[in-house]
Amino acid sequence: MTPVSLAIVGAGDRGSGYARWALAHPHLARIAAVADPAAERARPLAEAGGARIFAGWRDLAAEGRIADAVVIATQDGDHAEPARTFAELGYHILIEKPLAPTEAECREIVAAAERAGVIFAVCHVLRYAPYTDTVRSVVRSGQIGEIVSVQHLEPVGFWHQAHSYVRGNWRRTDQSTFMLLAKSSHDLDWLQYVVGRPIARVSSFGGLKHFTRDNRPPGSASRCLDCAVEPACPYSAPRLYGGRLREGQHGWPLSVVTREFTEDALTSALRHGPYGRCVYDCDNDVVDHQVVAMEFDGGASGVFTMTAFNAGGHRRTRIFGTHGELECDGEHVRVHDFRTGDVSTITVAATGDPTAGGGHAGGDERLMEAFVRAVATGERDLIRSGPAESLASHLAVFAAERARITQQVIPLTEGAR
């Protein structure tokens, strides 16, 4: 097929990752443009792909349609306006999750894409991972009967929470969005996809338990480099980032902290930048633990837990059916058939780790291939995370956060029992 031309809007870690996929698959895609106010981020991608550089998405849009599709990977609050504009220009759109930090903007983005008739995909990468295919195929085979209930855990990881949601870009609701939308919109979307039914109503509990000034250890300092407690602190920035530097792990999360991979550059970043701050002395307000109880259309129940206080790793899921149950850990699917008593384990071939740096266990790569093939062929069925289903899962996330704040059960659809 003729390679699909892509405009990359936002050359941060996510945008750069999608651009690198295009560079590695020149028979499928090529980069036509890179738009980012930070020229030092845009230039390497543009030079590698022979692409044009723009200072921002507005400059790119002013040129009209110069590529087949656009990848929108700006910060969450900067999705709505470029998405509407590029849809009107006829660009096919791949947009990072979450769609936007407000329900109204999410609806506007989807409406704009549907009006324009463009191919539209949200980066709900978990839908595309090989592991998800395995879980879903067992569920759809009927081997465990009808789903009655589900337990799903997102182990954020103590260091990931500290990096992204205490020190980092997603630490404050007013500057990005609330935790459930920023981190766990993947999970509620994944649950709807695997169960095969929309969420009908939700309740939720959680809060900011640990990363507060009230829990600051005696004798600690505002920065790790000055702190007498740092050597024994699990959230030590020098240990987290310095260890990765010494091991040559220069991707995410280290690449967010510094663009120069030397001891001096890292020390300077920790001395002056946000990632060297004490986790008990930041301006964060997003939750560090949350539970969502849900009922799916048709009556099945589910419980989702997001917590910072673990080592991280793959999500873990248990699915309980009328004829059997599944235990899923991201690499294995254990099937217990009640009718025969047989217990079997399906092993999923490893395709990277479950983090953004590891490509979400193959989800990033398969999303990109599905999107560019859909654009090239017009086969919209290749898109698993289109406008309608993505909006439905976003609305469930907004409802769950309202439920947490108001301590109510929030309905989403008719038919809940």
Side-chain angles (χ1 to χ4, degrees), residues 192-212:
Q192 289 194 141
Y193 184 60
V194 169
V195 172
R197 291 180 176 271
I199 296 170
R201 56 180 177 171
V202 294
S203 62
S204 185
F205 306 91
L208 178 55
K209 170 68 176 176
H210 185 67
F211 299 101
T212 69

Side-chain angles (χ1 to χ4, degrees), residues 254-276:
L254 183 61
S255 60
V256 178
V257 180
T258 179
R259 290 285 172 178
E260 295 181 29
F261 302 112
T262 66
E263 291 283 356
D264 287 346
L266 177 59
T267 298
S268 178
L270 298 185
R271 170 67 62 194
H272 304 291
Y275 294 97

Side-chain angles (χ1 to χ4, degrees), residues 150-353:
V150 181
Q151 296 175 346
H152 182 71
L153 168 68
E154 181 179 16
V156 176
F158 68 97
W159 64 267
H160 188 183
Q161 184 81 24
H163 170 76
S164 296
Y165 307 104
V166 178
R167 296 173 172 130
N169 291 334
W170 293 273
R171 69 189 183 276
R172 289 187 62 86
T173 303
D174 60 350
Q175 294 179 10
S176 57
T177 189
F178 54 96
M179 181 73 177
L180 196 64
L181 186 64
K183 185 70 177 76
S184 304
S185 54
H186 274 320
D187 296 272
L188 268 65
D189 179 79
W190 188 86
L191 285 170
Q192 289 194 141
Y193 184 60
V194 169
V195 172
R197 291 180 176 271
I199 296 170
R201 56 180 177 171
V202 294
S203 62
S204 185
F205 306 91
L208 178 55
K209 170 68 176 176
H210 185 67
F211 299 101
T212 69
R213 286 181 173 84
D214 290 342
N215 291 314
R216 184 170 171 172
S220 62
S222 295
R223 288 194 173 268
C224 290
L225 292 176
D226 304 320
C227 185
V229 180
E230 177 271 325
C233 179
Y235 307 103
S236 162
R239 184 187 308 120
L240 169 60
Y241 303 117
R244 281 166 168 74
L245 178 65
R246 289 185 288 275
E247 292 170 5
Q249 298 179 18
H250 295 168
W252 181 90
L254 183 61
S255 60
V256 178
V257 180
T258 179
R259 290 285 172 178
E260 295 181 29
F261 302 112
T262 66
E263 291 283 356
D264 287 346
L266 177 59
T267 298
S268 178
L270 298 185
R271 170 67 62 194
H272 304 291
Y275 294 97
R277 295 180 295 175
C278 172
V279 295
Y280 305 106
D281 195 30
C282 292
D283 59 344
N284 56 300
D285 65 6
V286 300
V287 304
D288 53 22
H289 68 109
Q290 188 166 355
V291 172
V292 179
M294 67 200 80
E295 186 172 59
F296 296 90
D297 192 25
S301 60
V303 177
F304 165 68
T305 300
M306 180 283 299
T307 179
F309 305 104
N310 45 71
H314 288 284
R315 277 104 166 157
R316 271 97 76 179
T317 311
R318 299 185 72 184
I319 302 176
F320 306 98
T322 54
H323 294 162
E325 67 173 306
L326 302 184
E327 294 184 29
C328 316
D329 65 5
E331 297 178 351
H332 307 91
V333 178
R334 180 177 177 272
V335 186
H336 185 176
D337 190 319
F338 298 161
R339 293 165 295 186
T340 66
D342 291 340
V343 178
S344 59
T345 300
I346 305 169
T347 300
V348 181
T351 53
D353 68 49

